[in-house]
Structures are given as structure tokens and as C-alpha cells.
Short mmCIF file of all heavy atoms in Angstrom, two decimals:
data_model
loop_
_atom_site.label_atom_id
_atom_site.label_comp_id
_atom_site.label_asym_id
_atom_site.label_seq_id
_atom_site.Cartn_x
_atom_site.Cartn_y
_atom_site.Cartn_z
N ARG C 1 -1.89 15.98 -18.31
CA ARG C 1 -1.73 14.86 -17.35
C ARG C 1 -2.78 15.06 -16.23
O ARG C 1 -2.98 16.12 -15.71
CB ARG C 1 -0.33 14.98 -16.81
CG ARG C 1 0.22 13.58 -16.58
CD ARG C 1 1.69 13.74 -16.29
NE ARG C 1 2.10 12.48 -15.88
CZ ARG C 1 3.11 11.81 -16.36
NH1 ARG C 1 3.86 12.39 -17.31
NH2 ARG C 1 3.42 10.61 -15.98
N LEU C 2 -3.41 13.98 -15.90
CA LEU C 2 -4.36 14.03 -14.78
C LEU C 2 -3.74 14.04 -13.40
O LEU C 2 -2.87 13.27 -13.16
CB LEU C 2 -5.28 12.77 -14.92
CG LEU C 2 -6.40 12.61 -13.85
CD1 LEU C 2 -7.42 13.72 -14.15
CD2 LEU C 2 -7.05 11.26 -13.99
N ARG C 3 -4.22 14.99 -12.63
CA ARG C 3 -3.73 15.02 -11.22
C ARG C 3 -4.24 13.87 -10.50
O ARG C 3 -5.26 13.26 -10.85
CB ARG C 3 -4.24 16.32 -10.54
CG ARG C 3 -3.71 17.55 -11.15
CD ARG C 3 -4.19 18.82 -10.45
NE ARG C 3 -5.66 18.79 -10.24
CZ ARG C 3 -6.56 19.47 -11.00
NH1 ARG C 3 -6.07 20.10 -12.08
NH2 ARG C 3 -7.80 19.47 -10.70
N SER C 4 -3.58 13.49 -9.42
CA SER C 4 -4.08 12.43 -8.58
C SER C 4 -5.48 12.69 -8.07
O SER C 4 -5.75 13.83 -7.76
CB SER C 4 -3.11 12.18 -7.42
OG SER C 4 -3.53 11.16 -6.62
N HIS C 5 -6.31 11.73 -8.08
CA HIS C 5 -7.62 11.89 -7.59
C HIS C 5 -8.03 10.70 -6.72
O HIS C 5 -7.40 9.74 -6.68
CB HIS C 5 -8.68 12.03 -8.78
CG HIS C 5 -8.69 10.82 -9.61
ND1 HIS C 5 -7.78 10.57 -10.64
CD2 HIS C 5 -9.45 9.70 -9.55
CE1 HIS C 5 -8.03 9.42 -11.24
NE2 HIS C 5 -9.06 8.89 -10.57
N THR C 6 -9.13 10.86 -6.07
CA THR C 6 -9.74 9.74 -5.26
C THR C 6 -10.83 9.02 -6.02
O THR C 6 -11.63 9.69 -6.68
CB THR C 6 -10.33 10.32 -3.94
OG1 THR C 6 -9.29 11.06 -3.22
CG2 THR C 6 -10.82 9.19 -3.04
N THR C 7 -10.72 7.77 -6.01
CA THR C 7 -11.74 6.90 -6.69
C THR C 7 -12.40 6.10 -5.60
O THR C 7 -11.73 5.40 -4.82
CB THR C 7 -11.13 6.03 -7.71
OG1 THR C 7 -10.36 6.77 -8.64
CG2 THR C 7 -12.19 5.27 -8.48
N GLU C 8 -13.71 6.15 -5.54
CA GLU C 8 -14.50 5.38 -4.50
C GLU C 8 -15.29 4.28 -5.24
O GLU C 8 -15.88 4.49 -6.24
CB GLU C 8 -15.40 6.30 -3.73
CG GLU C 8 -16.24 5.57 -2.70
CD GLU C 8 -17.26 6.43 -2.05
OE1 GLU C 8 -18.39 6.68 -2.55
OE2 GLU C 8 -16.91 6.99 -0.99
N LEU C 9 -15.26 3.08 -4.65
CA LEU C 9 -16.08 2.02 -5.14
C LEU C 9 -16.96 1.51 -4.05
O LEU C 9 -16.46 1.15 -2.98
CB LEU C 9 -15.20 0.85 -5.64
CG LEU C 9 -15.88 -0.31 -6.28
CD1 LEU C 9 -16.40 0.13 -7.65
CD2 LEU C 9 -14.92 -1.48 -6.48
N ALA C 10 -18.26 1.61 -4.30
CA ALA C 10 -19.27 1.18 -3.23
C ALA C 10 -20.09 0.03 -3.82
O ALA C 10 -20.70 0.18 -4.90
CB ALA C 10 -20.12 2.33 -2.86
N GLN C 11 -20.18 -1.08 -3.05
CA GLN C 11 -21.05 -2.16 -3.48
C GLN C 11 -22.44 -1.77 -3.05
O GLN C 11 -22.79 -1.58 -1.88
CB GLN C 11 -20.65 -3.47 -2.84
CG GLN C 11 -21.36 -4.68 -3.42
CD GLN C 11 -20.71 -5.99 -3.04
OE1 GLN C 11 -20.02 -6.06 -2.06
NE2 GLN C 11 -21.04 -7.00 -3.80
N THR C 12 -23.31 -1.61 -4.07
CA THR C 12 -24.67 -1.02 -3.79
C THR C 12 -25.56 -1.85 -2.90
O THR C 12 -26.34 -1.34 -2.16
CB THR C 12 -25.38 -0.69 -5.09
OG1 THR C 12 -25.44 -1.90 -5.93
CG2 THR C 12 -24.63 0.37 -5.83
N SER C 13 -25.41 -3.19 -2.97
CA SER C 13 -26.33 -4.05 -2.16
C SER C 13 -25.96 -4.06 -0.70
O SER C 13 -26.77 -4.34 0.17
CB SER C 13 -26.33 -5.49 -2.72
OG SER C 13 -25.07 -6.02 -2.71
N TYR C 14 -24.66 -3.77 -0.34
CA TYR C 14 -24.24 -3.80 1.04
C TYR C 14 -23.90 -2.40 1.62
O TYR C 14 -23.76 -2.26 2.77
CB TYR C 14 -23.03 -4.72 1.26
CG TYR C 14 -23.36 -6.17 0.81
CD1 TYR C 14 -22.84 -6.68 -0.35
CD2 TYR C 14 -24.16 -6.94 1.61
CE1 TYR C 14 -23.12 -7.98 -0.65
CE2 TYR C 14 -24.50 -8.20 1.31
CZ TYR C 14 -23.94 -8.77 0.15
OH TYR C 14 -24.24 -10.02 -0.23
N GLY C 15 -23.67 -1.45 0.78
CA GLY C 15 -23.30 -0.14 1.15
C GLY C 15 -21.80 -0.03 1.58
O GLY C 15 -21.38 1.03 2.06
N ASN C 16 -21.01 -1.10 1.38
CA ASN C 16 -19.64 -1.03 1.72
C ASN C 16 -18.87 -0.22 0.66
O ASN C 16 -19.17 -0.37 -0.52
CB ASN C 16 -19.01 -2.44 1.72
CG ASN C 16 -19.62 -3.36 2.75
OD1 ASN C 16 -20.16 -2.88 3.74
ND2 ASN C 16 -19.60 -4.63 2.53
N ALA C 17 -17.99 0.69 1.08
CA ALA C 17 -17.27 1.51 0.19
C ALA C 17 -15.80 1.48 0.51
O ALA C 17 -15.41 1.40 1.69
CB ALA C 17 -17.80 2.98 0.27
N GLU C 18 -15.02 1.55 -0.52
CA GLU C 18 -13.53 1.65 -0.43
C GLU C 18 -13.08 2.79 -1.28
O GLU C 18 -13.58 3.03 -2.31
CB GLU C 18 -12.88 0.35 -0.88
CG GLU C 18 -13.17 -0.92 -0.04
CD GLU C 18 -12.41 -2.10 -0.53
OE1 GLU C 18 -11.21 -1.92 -0.86
OE2 GLU C 18 -12.98 -3.16 -0.52
N GLU C 19 -11.99 3.48 -0.81
CA GLU C 19 -11.37 4.55 -1.59
C GLU C 19 -9.99 4.20 -1.96
O GLU C 19 -9.27 3.58 -1.10
CB GLU C 19 -11.47 5.88 -0.85
CG GLU C 19 -12.84 6.45 -0.71
CD GLU C 19 -12.78 7.88 -0.16
OE1 GLU C 19 -11.80 8.31 0.42
OE2 GLU C 19 -13.80 8.55 -0.37
N ARG C 20 -9.55 4.64 -3.11
CA ARG C 20 -8.19 4.45 -3.54
C ARG C 20 -7.74 5.79 -4.21
O ARG C 20 -8.55 6.48 -4.84
CB ARG C 20 -7.99 3.36 -4.61
CG ARG C 20 -8.44 1.99 -4.17
CD ARG C 20 -7.42 1.39 -3.23
NE ARG C 20 -7.64 0.01 -2.96
CZ ARG C 20 -8.39 -0.43 -1.96
NH1 ARG C 20 -8.98 0.38 -1.18
NH2 ARG C 20 -8.56 -1.76 -1.76
N PHE C 21 -6.44 6.09 -4.07
CA PHE C 21 -5.90 7.24 -4.85
C PHE C 21 -5.31 6.69 -6.13
O PHE C 21 -4.70 5.60 -6.20
CB PHE C 21 -4.77 7.91 -4.03
CG PHE C 21 -5.29 8.67 -2.85
CD1 PHE C 21 -5.22 8.10 -1.58
CD2 PHE C 21 -5.90 9.90 -2.95
CE1 PHE C 21 -5.71 8.78 -0.48
CE2 PHE C 21 -6.38 10.56 -1.94
CZ PHE C 21 -6.28 9.99 -0.63
N SER C 22 -5.53 7.46 -7.19
CA SER C 22 -5.01 7.09 -8.51
C SER C 22 -3.51 7.41 -8.59
O SER C 22 -2.96 8.20 -7.76
CB SER C 22 -5.75 7.84 -9.59
OG SER C 22 -5.37 9.19 -9.62
N ASP C 23 -2.92 6.89 -9.61
CA ASP C 23 -1.51 7.27 -9.89
C ASP C 23 -1.59 8.48 -10.79
O ASP C 23 -2.70 8.99 -11.07
CB ASP C 23 -0.74 6.13 -10.49
CG ASP C 23 -1.25 5.66 -11.89
OD1 ASP C 23 -2.01 6.41 -12.57
OD2 ASP C 23 -0.85 4.57 -12.31
N ASP C 24 -0.45 8.99 -11.28
CA ASP C 24 -0.41 10.27 -12.02
C ASP C 24 -1.05 10.04 -13.47
O ASP C 24 -1.16 11.02 -14.17
CB ASP C 24 0.99 10.83 -12.15
CG ASP C 24 1.98 9.91 -12.79
OD1 ASP C 24 1.66 8.74 -13.09
OD2 ASP C 24 3.10 10.41 -13.11
N ARG C 25 -1.37 8.83 -13.88
CA ARG C 25 -2.03 8.55 -15.12
C ARG C 25 -3.47 8.28 -14.96
O ARG C 25 -4.15 7.92 -15.92
CB ARG C 25 -1.30 7.42 -15.83
CG ARG C 25 0.14 7.77 -16.18
CD ARG C 25 0.81 6.70 -16.96
NE ARG C 25 0.24 6.51 -18.26
CZ ARG C 25 0.53 5.49 -19.03
NH1 ARG C 25 1.32 4.51 -18.63
NH2 ARG C 25 -0.06 5.43 -20.18
N GLY C 26 -3.98 8.42 -13.71
CA GLY C 26 -5.42 8.26 -13.49
C GLY C 26 -5.76 6.79 -13.27
O GLY C 26 -6.99 6.50 -13.16
N ARG C 27 -4.86 5.89 -13.10
CA ARG C 27 -5.16 4.46 -12.96
C ARG C 27 -5.35 4.14 -11.45
O ARG C 27 -4.76 4.81 -10.64
CB ARG C 27 -4.08 3.65 -13.51
CG ARG C 27 -3.91 3.76 -15.00
CD ARG C 27 -2.78 2.96 -15.49
NE ARG C 27 -1.54 3.38 -14.85
CZ ARG C 27 -0.32 3.08 -15.20
NH1 ARG C 27 -0.12 2.24 -16.26
NH2 ARG C 27 0.71 3.55 -14.58
N PHE C 28 -6.20 3.21 -11.18
CA PHE C 28 -6.48 2.80 -9.79
C PHE C 28 -6.76 1.29 -9.79
O PHE C 28 -7.05 0.71 -10.90
CB PHE C 28 -7.70 3.54 -9.25
CG PHE C 28 -8.94 3.48 -10.13
CD1 PHE C 28 -9.82 2.44 -10.00
CD2 PHE C 28 -9.19 4.43 -11.09
CE1 PHE C 28 -10.97 2.32 -10.82
CE2 PHE C 28 -10.27 4.37 -11.94
CZ PHE C 28 -11.13 3.34 -11.80
N ARG C 29 -6.71 0.67 -8.66
CA ARG C 29 -6.97 -0.76 -8.53
C ARG C 29 -7.82 -1.05 -7.33
O ARG C 29 -7.66 -0.43 -6.25
CB ARG C 29 -5.63 -1.50 -8.36
CG ARG C 29 -4.81 -1.50 -9.61
CD ARG C 29 -3.57 -2.35 -9.42
NE ARG C 29 -3.84 -3.73 -9.03
CZ ARG C 29 -4.17 -4.75 -9.83
NH1 ARG C 29 -4.29 -4.57 -11.06
NH2 ARG C 29 -4.33 -5.96 -9.33
N PHE C 30 -8.76 -1.95 -7.50
CA PHE C 30 -9.60 -2.54 -6.47
C PHE C 30 -9.52 -4.07 -6.59
O PHE C 30 -10.31 -4.62 -7.31
CB PHE C 30 -11.08 -2.08 -6.57
CG PHE C 30 -11.29 -0.64 -6.20
CD1 PHE C 30 -11.21 0.38 -7.21
CD2 PHE C 30 -11.50 -0.26 -4.89
CE1 PHE C 30 -11.43 1.70 -6.86
CE2 PHE C 30 -11.73 1.11 -4.60
CZ PHE C 30 -11.71 2.03 -5.56
N PRO C 31 -8.55 -4.68 -5.96
CA PRO C 31 -8.38 -6.11 -6.20
C PRO C 31 -9.43 -6.96 -5.43
O PRO C 31 -10.06 -6.48 -4.46
CB PRO C 31 -6.99 -6.39 -5.58
CG PRO C 31 -6.72 -5.33 -4.60
CD PRO C 31 -7.52 -4.14 -5.13
N ASP C 32 -9.60 -8.18 -5.87
CA ASP C 32 -10.43 -9.20 -5.20
C ASP C 32 -11.88 -8.77 -5.01
O ASP C 32 -12.45 -8.82 -3.87
CB ASP C 32 -9.81 -9.57 -3.87
CG ASP C 32 -8.41 -10.13 -3.99
OD1 ASP C 32 -8.18 -10.85 -4.95
OD2 ASP C 32 -7.55 -9.73 -3.17
N LEU C 33 -12.55 -8.26 -6.10
CA LEU C 33 -13.92 -7.81 -6.00
C LEU C 33 -14.88 -9.09 -6.09
O LEU C 33 -14.66 -10.00 -6.89
CB LEU C 33 -14.21 -6.86 -7.11
CG LEU C 33 -13.49 -5.55 -7.04
CD1 LEU C 33 -13.79 -4.81 -8.36
CD2 LEU C 33 -13.96 -4.79 -5.81
N SER C 34 -15.88 -8.99 -5.29
CA SER C 34 -17.00 -10.02 -5.44
C SER C 34 -17.98 -9.58 -6.52
O SER C 34 -18.11 -8.42 -6.81
CB SER C 34 -17.73 -10.10 -4.11
OG SER C 34 -16.85 -10.50 -3.08
N PRO C 35 -18.59 -10.58 -7.13
CA PRO C 35 -19.60 -10.25 -8.13
C PRO C 35 -20.72 -9.40 -7.45
O PRO C 35 -21.06 -9.52 -6.25
CB PRO C 35 -20.20 -11.58 -8.52
CG PRO C 35 -19.15 -12.58 -8.23
CD PRO C 35 -18.43 -12.08 -7.03
N GLY C 36 -21.34 -8.51 -8.24
CA GLY C 36 -22.37 -7.63 -7.67
C GLY C 36 -22.45 -6.32 -8.39
O GLY C 36 -21.69 -6.07 -9.30
N ASN C 37 -23.29 -5.47 -7.96
CA ASN C 37 -23.46 -4.07 -8.45
C ASN C 37 -22.66 -3.14 -7.66
O ASN C 37 -22.69 -3.16 -6.37
CB ASN C 37 -24.91 -3.71 -8.45
CG ASN C 37 -25.74 -4.55 -9.44
OD1 ASN C 37 -25.31 -4.92 -10.49
ND2 ASN C 37 -26.89 -5.02 -8.98
N TYR C 38 -21.98 -2.24 -8.37
CA TYR C 38 -21.10 -1.23 -7.69
C TYR C 38 -21.37 0.12 -8.32
O TYR C 38 -21.73 0.28 -9.45
CB TYR C 38 -19.65 -1.57 -7.96
CG TYR C 38 -19.14 -2.79 -7.30
CD1 TYR C 38 -19.32 -4.09 -7.84
CD2 TYR C 38 -18.51 -2.76 -6.03
CE1 TYR C 38 -18.92 -5.17 -7.22
CE2 TYR C 38 -18.08 -3.93 -5.39
CZ TYR C 38 -18.26 -5.11 -5.98
OH TYR C 38 -17.84 -6.29 -5.38
N ARG C 39 -21.06 1.13 -7.51
CA ARG C 39 -21.04 2.54 -7.95
C ARG C 39 -19.62 3.02 -7.86
O ARG C 39 -19.03 3.07 -6.77
CB ARG C 39 -22.01 3.38 -7.12
CG ARG C 39 -22.11 4.79 -7.63
CD ARG C 39 -23.26 5.51 -7.02
NE ARG C 39 -23.32 6.93 -7.42
CZ ARG C 39 -23.85 7.34 -8.58
NH1 ARG C 39 -24.46 6.44 -9.38
NH2 ARG C 39 -23.90 8.60 -8.83
N LEU C 40 -19.01 3.38 -8.99
CA LEU C 40 -17.69 3.89 -9.09
C LEU C 40 -17.77 5.40 -9.25
O LEU C 40 -18.39 5.90 -10.12
CB LEU C 40 -17.04 3.23 -10.33
CG LEU C 40 -15.54 3.50 -10.54
CD1 LEU C 40 -14.72 2.94 -9.41
CD2 LEU C 40 -15.11 2.90 -11.87
N THR C 41 -17.11 6.07 -8.36
CA THR C 41 -17.13 7.57 -8.31
C THR C 41 -15.71 8.14 -8.35
O THR C 41 -14.85 7.71 -7.57
CB THR C 41 -17.81 8.03 -7.07
OG1 THR C 41 -19.13 7.44 -6.94
CG2 THR C 41 -17.98 9.56 -7.00
N LEU C 42 -15.52 9.06 -9.27
CA LEU C 42 -14.19 9.80 -9.34
C LEU C 42 -14.39 11.13 -8.67
O LEU C 42 -15.32 11.89 -8.98
CB LEU C 42 -13.83 9.94 -10.81
CG LEU C 42 -12.56 10.58 -11.14
CD1 LEU C 42 -11.85 9.90 -12.29
CD2 LEU C 42 -12.68 12.08 -11.38
N LYS C 43 -13.44 11.49 -7.74
CA LYS C 43 -13.49 12.75 -6.96
C LYS C 43 -12.18 13.48 -7.23
O LYS C 43 -11.15 12.98 -6.90
CB LYS C 43 -13.67 12.47 -5.51
CG LYS C 43 -14.91 11.66 -5.17
CD LYS C 43 -15.00 11.34 -3.74
CE LYS C 43 -16.16 10.47 -3.37
NZ LYS C 43 -16.19 10.14 -1.97
N LEU C 44 -12.30 14.71 -7.81
CA LEU C 44 -11.12 15.52 -8.04
C LEU C 44 -11.44 16.88 -7.52
O LEU C 44 -12.48 17.47 -7.93
CB LEU C 44 -10.85 15.56 -9.58
CG LEU C 44 -9.64 16.34 -10.00
CD1 LEU C 44 -8.28 15.75 -9.41
CD2 LEU C 44 -9.58 16.37 -11.49
N THR C 45 -10.64 17.47 -6.69
CA THR C 45 -10.81 18.82 -6.14
C THR C 45 -11.03 19.81 -7.27
O THR C 45 -10.26 19.85 -8.21
CB THR C 45 -9.63 19.22 -5.27
OG1 THR C 45 -9.45 18.25 -4.24
CG2 THR C 45 -9.79 20.61 -4.66
N GLY C 46 -12.07 20.58 -7.13
CA GLY C 46 -12.42 21.64 -8.14
C GLY C 46 -13.21 21.17 -9.29
O GLY C 46 -13.50 21.96 -10.23
N ALA C 47 -13.58 19.89 -9.40
CA ALA C 47 -14.37 19.34 -10.44
C ALA C 47 -15.55 18.64 -9.91
O ALA C 47 -15.58 18.10 -8.77
CB ALA C 47 -13.52 18.42 -11.30
N PRO C 48 -16.65 18.58 -10.71
CA PRO C 48 -17.80 17.84 -10.24
C PRO C 48 -17.48 16.31 -10.18
O PRO C 48 -16.66 15.84 -10.93
CB PRO C 48 -18.92 18.13 -11.26
CG PRO C 48 -18.19 18.59 -12.46
CD PRO C 48 -16.90 19.18 -11.99
N GLU C 49 -18.13 15.61 -9.26
CA GLU C 49 -17.88 14.18 -9.15
C GLU C 49 -18.45 13.48 -10.43
O GLU C 49 -19.44 13.95 -11.00
CB GLU C 49 -18.64 13.58 -7.95
CG GLU C 49 -17.92 13.86 -6.67
CD GLU C 49 -18.60 13.15 -5.46
OE1 GLU C 49 -19.55 12.42 -5.64
OE2 GLU C 49 -18.12 13.39 -4.30
N VAL C 50 -17.80 12.44 -10.84
CA VAL C 50 -18.27 11.66 -12.00
C VAL C 50 -18.49 10.26 -11.49
O VAL C 50 -17.69 9.66 -10.83
CB VAL C 50 -17.19 11.67 -13.15
CG1 VAL C 50 -17.68 10.76 -14.29
CG2 VAL C 50 -16.97 13.07 -13.60
N ALA C 51 -19.71 9.69 -11.72
CA ALA C 51 -20.04 8.39 -11.20
C ALA C 51 -20.63 7.47 -12.27
O ALA C 51 -21.24 7.93 -13.27
CB ALA C 51 -20.99 8.49 -10.03
N GLN C 52 -20.48 6.17 -12.13
CA GLN C 52 -21.00 5.22 -13.02
C GLN C 52 -21.36 3.99 -12.24
O GLN C 52 -20.63 3.56 -11.31
CB GLN C 52 -19.91 4.87 -14.07
CG GLN C 52 -20.35 3.85 -15.07
CD GLN C 52 -19.29 3.58 -16.08
OE1 GLN C 52 -18.37 4.37 -16.27
NE2 GLN C 52 -19.34 2.46 -16.77
N THR C 53 -22.53 3.37 -12.50
CA THR C 53 -22.92 2.13 -11.91
C THR C 53 -22.46 1.02 -12.80
O THR C 53 -22.68 1.06 -14.01
CB THR C 53 -24.45 2.06 -11.70
OG1 THR C 53 -24.83 3.17 -10.88
CG2 THR C 53 -24.87 0.80 -11.00
N ILE C 54 -21.83 0.03 -12.26
CA ILE C 54 -21.37 -1.15 -13.04
C ILE C 54 -21.81 -2.46 -12.35
O ILE C 54 -21.99 -2.49 -11.16
CB ILE C 54 -19.83 -1.10 -13.21
CG1 ILE C 54 -19.14 -1.04 -11.81
CG2 ILE C 54 -19.40 0.02 -14.04
CD1 ILE C 54 -17.67 -1.17 -11.94
N ALA C 55 -21.96 -3.48 -13.12
CA ALA C 55 -22.29 -4.85 -12.64
C ALA C 55 -21.12 -5.73 -12.96
O ALA C 55 -20.71 -5.85 -14.09
CB ALA C 55 -23.57 -5.31 -13.32
N LEU C 56 -20.65 -6.34 -11.96
CA LEU C 56 -19.51 -7.30 -12.08
C LEU C 56 -20.02 -8.71 -11.94
O LEU C 56 -20.64 -9.09 -10.99
CB LEU C 56 -18.40 -7.09 -11.04
CG LEU C 56 -17.73 -5.78 -11.07
CD1 LEU C 56 -16.66 -5.72 -9.93
CD2 LEU C 56 -17.08 -5.53 -12.42
N GLY C 57 -19.76 -9.51 -13.01
CA GLY C 57 -20.12 -10.94 -12.96
C GLY C 57 -18.99 -11.76 -12.37
O GLY C 57 -17.93 -11.23 -11.98
N SER C 58 -19.08 -13.02 -12.37
CA SER C 58 -18.11 -13.93 -11.79
C SER C 58 -16.78 -13.85 -12.49
O SER C 58 -15.71 -14.18 -11.90
CB SER C 58 -18.60 -15.33 -11.71
OG SER C 58 -18.90 -15.83 -13.05
N GLU C 59 -16.72 -13.52 -13.73
CA GLU C 59 -15.43 -13.48 -14.50
C GLU C 59 -15.10 -12.08 -14.90
O GLU C 59 -14.21 -11.94 -15.73
CB GLU C 59 -15.61 -14.36 -15.73
CG GLU C 59 -15.76 -15.87 -15.42
CD GLU C 59 -15.92 -16.66 -16.61
OE1 GLU C 59 -15.71 -16.20 -17.77
OE2 GLU C 59 -16.34 -17.83 -16.51
N ARG C 60 -15.72 -11.08 -14.33
CA ARG C 60 -15.44 -9.71 -14.78
C ARG C 60 -14.72 -8.93 -13.74
O ARG C 60 -14.84 -9.15 -12.55
CB ARG C 60 -16.79 -9.05 -15.09
CG ARG C 60 -16.60 -7.73 -15.79
CD ARG C 60 -17.77 -7.34 -16.58
NE ARG C 60 -17.42 -5.98 -16.92
CZ ARG C 60 -18.26 -5.01 -16.95
NH1 ARG C 60 -19.50 -5.17 -16.55
NH2 ARG C 60 -17.88 -3.79 -17.29
N ASP C 61 -13.93 -7.96 -14.16
CA ASP C 61 -13.21 -7.07 -13.29
C ASP C 61 -13.40 -5.68 -13.79
O ASP C 61 -14.18 -5.41 -14.76
CB ASP C 61 -11.77 -7.47 -13.06
CG ASP C 61 -10.98 -7.52 -14.37
OD1 ASP C 61 -11.41 -6.81 -15.32
OD2 ASP C 61 -10.00 -8.25 -14.41
N LEU C 62 -12.63 -4.74 -13.25
CA LEU C 62 -12.79 -3.33 -13.68
C LEU C 62 -11.96 -2.94 -14.94
O LEU C 62 -11.97 -1.77 -15.30
CB LEU C 62 -12.39 -2.42 -12.53
CG LEU C 62 -13.33 -2.41 -11.33
CD1 LEU C 62 -12.80 -1.54 -10.19
CD2 LEU C 62 -14.76 -1.88 -11.77
N ASP C 63 -11.26 -3.91 -15.49
CA ASP C 63 -10.44 -3.61 -16.71
C ASP C 63 -11.37 -3.03 -17.79
O ASP C 63 -12.43 -3.69 -18.05
CB ASP C 63 -9.68 -4.86 -17.23
CG ASP C 63 -8.55 -5.20 -16.36
OD1 ASP C 63 -8.05 -4.41 -15.56
OD2 ASP C 63 -8.03 -6.36 -16.55
N GLY C 64 -10.96 -1.93 -18.34
CA GLY C 64 -11.76 -1.37 -19.45
C GLY C 64 -12.79 -0.39 -18.95
O GLY C 64 -13.43 0.26 -19.77
N VAL C 65 -13.04 -0.28 -17.66
CA VAL C 65 -14.07 0.69 -17.17
C VAL C 65 -13.36 2.08 -17.17
O VAL C 65 -12.31 2.18 -16.60
CB VAL C 65 -14.54 0.37 -15.76
CG1 VAL C 65 -15.46 1.46 -15.21
CG2 VAL C 65 -15.31 -0.98 -15.83
N GLU C 66 -13.95 3.07 -17.77
CA GLU C 66 -13.43 4.42 -17.84
C GLU C 66 -14.39 5.41 -17.33
O GLU C 66 -15.59 5.33 -17.60
CB GLU C 66 -13.04 4.79 -19.26
CG GLU C 66 -11.85 3.98 -19.84
CD GLU C 66 -11.48 4.47 -21.25
OE1 GLU C 66 -11.91 5.63 -21.64
OE2 GLU C 66 -10.74 3.79 -21.88
N LEU C 67 -13.93 6.37 -16.51
CA LEU C 67 -14.70 7.51 -16.10
C LEU C 67 -13.95 8.72 -16.69
O LEU C 67 -12.74 8.81 -16.55
CB LEU C 67 -14.76 7.62 -14.61
CG LEU C 67 -15.56 6.53 -13.86
CD1 LEU C 67 -15.47 6.76 -12.31
CD2 LEU C 67 -16.99 6.57 -14.27
N ARG C 68 -14.67 9.64 -17.25
CA ARG C 68 -14.03 10.81 -17.85
C ARG C 68 -14.62 12.12 -17.18
O ARG C 68 -15.79 12.21 -17.02
CB ARG C 68 -14.26 10.81 -19.32
CG ARG C 68 -13.62 9.67 -20.05
CD ARG C 68 -13.75 9.86 -21.49
NE ARG C 68 -13.09 8.74 -22.22
CZ ARG C 68 -11.83 8.70 -22.57
NH1 ARG C 68 -11.06 9.69 -22.33
NH2 ARG C 68 -11.36 7.60 -23.17
N LEU C 69 -13.65 13.01 -16.89
CA LEU C 69 -14.06 14.29 -16.37
C LEU C 69 -14.55 15.12 -17.55
O LEU C 69 -14.14 14.95 -18.71
CB LEU C 69 -12.84 14.99 -15.74
CG LEU C 69 -12.32 14.41 -14.46
CD1 LEU C 69 -11.03 15.07 -14.06
CD2 LEU C 69 -13.42 14.59 -13.38
N PRO C 70 -15.40 16.14 -17.30
CA PRO C 70 -15.85 17.02 -18.34
C PRO C 70 -14.57 17.75 -18.89
O PRO C 70 -13.59 17.94 -18.20
CB PRO C 70 -16.71 18.02 -17.61
CG PRO C 70 -17.17 17.30 -16.38
CD PRO C 70 -16.06 16.39 -16.03
N ALA C 71 -14.63 18.16 -20.17
CA ALA C 71 -13.50 18.84 -20.81
C ALA C 71 -13.05 20.01 -20.02
O ALA C 71 -13.86 20.74 -19.43
CB ALA C 71 -13.89 19.24 -22.18
N GLY C 72 -11.72 20.22 -19.95
CA GLY C 72 -11.21 21.39 -19.28
C GLY C 72 -10.89 21.14 -17.79
O GLY C 72 -10.46 22.08 -17.11
N LYS C 73 -11.16 20.01 -17.22
CA LYS C 73 -10.90 19.77 -15.81
C LYS C 73 -9.66 18.98 -15.65
O LYS C 73 -9.23 18.28 -16.34
CB LYS C 73 -12.11 18.98 -15.17
CG LYS C 73 -13.40 19.70 -15.27
CD LYS C 73 -13.31 20.98 -14.49
CE LYS C 73 -14.66 21.74 -14.56
NZ LYS C 73 -14.61 23.03 -14.08
#
């Protein structure tokens, strides 16, 4: 089971960032996102940060986006 972690979402064109804590299953929500490019970063104490750049279009959200920690973390 994944411990609670912090997930940060930063819109790359504006530098605005928001953080959310995940639930005990690793799920998080960032509602009402505007289209654009974002950097999604997973932060878990004792593990290296995992990040992914994503592009959201007018009809796209974060459903299906997965970040995975290295094995054993």
C-alpha cells in the first residue's frame, strides 16, 4: 500500500503550482484545470521525486495519468 504523498502540479507557462496530498491508494485530484502544459511531480519522503510533463487540451483531464515510484519505494 502506498503511503500518503504530496503531488505537485505546476503550469509551466505561468509557473503557478498547487500541491495536494494523496489518499492511501495514491490518488489525487486537481479540479478545474485550464488547457496548457503542466509538470506533475510526486514527492514521497525517502524516495527520489518522480516527475512527468503533460499537455492538457480543452477536453482532457488527468484521468489515466500515472506516476510510478522506482521498485522497492
Side-chain angles (χ1 to χ4, degrees):
R1 217 171 171 126
L2 181 66
R3 298 182 307 264
S4 180
H5 63 274
T6 302
T7 306
E8 178 183 87
L9 184 70
Q11 191 169 19
T12 55
S13 57
Y14 298 109
N16 299 335
E18 294 185 40
E19 288 190 343
R20 300 285 190 271
F21 289 101
S22 71
D23 65 16
D24 63 348
R25 295 182 69 192
R27 296 177 300 192
F28 53 87
R29 292 185 51 85
F30 289 93
D32 303 320
L33 296 173
S34 299
N37 295 318
Y38 292 84
R39 183 165 178 82
L40 185 63
T41 306
L42 184 141
K43 301 173 183 180
L44 180 66
T45 302
E49 288 185 1
V50 177
Q52 178 178 342
T53 301
I54 55 175
L56 296 180
S58 60
E59 297 179 11
R60 192 157 170 222
D61 57 27
L62 291 174
D63 285 347
V65 174
E66 292 185 13
L67 293 177
R68 296 188 180 269
L69 290 171
K73 298 295 178 193

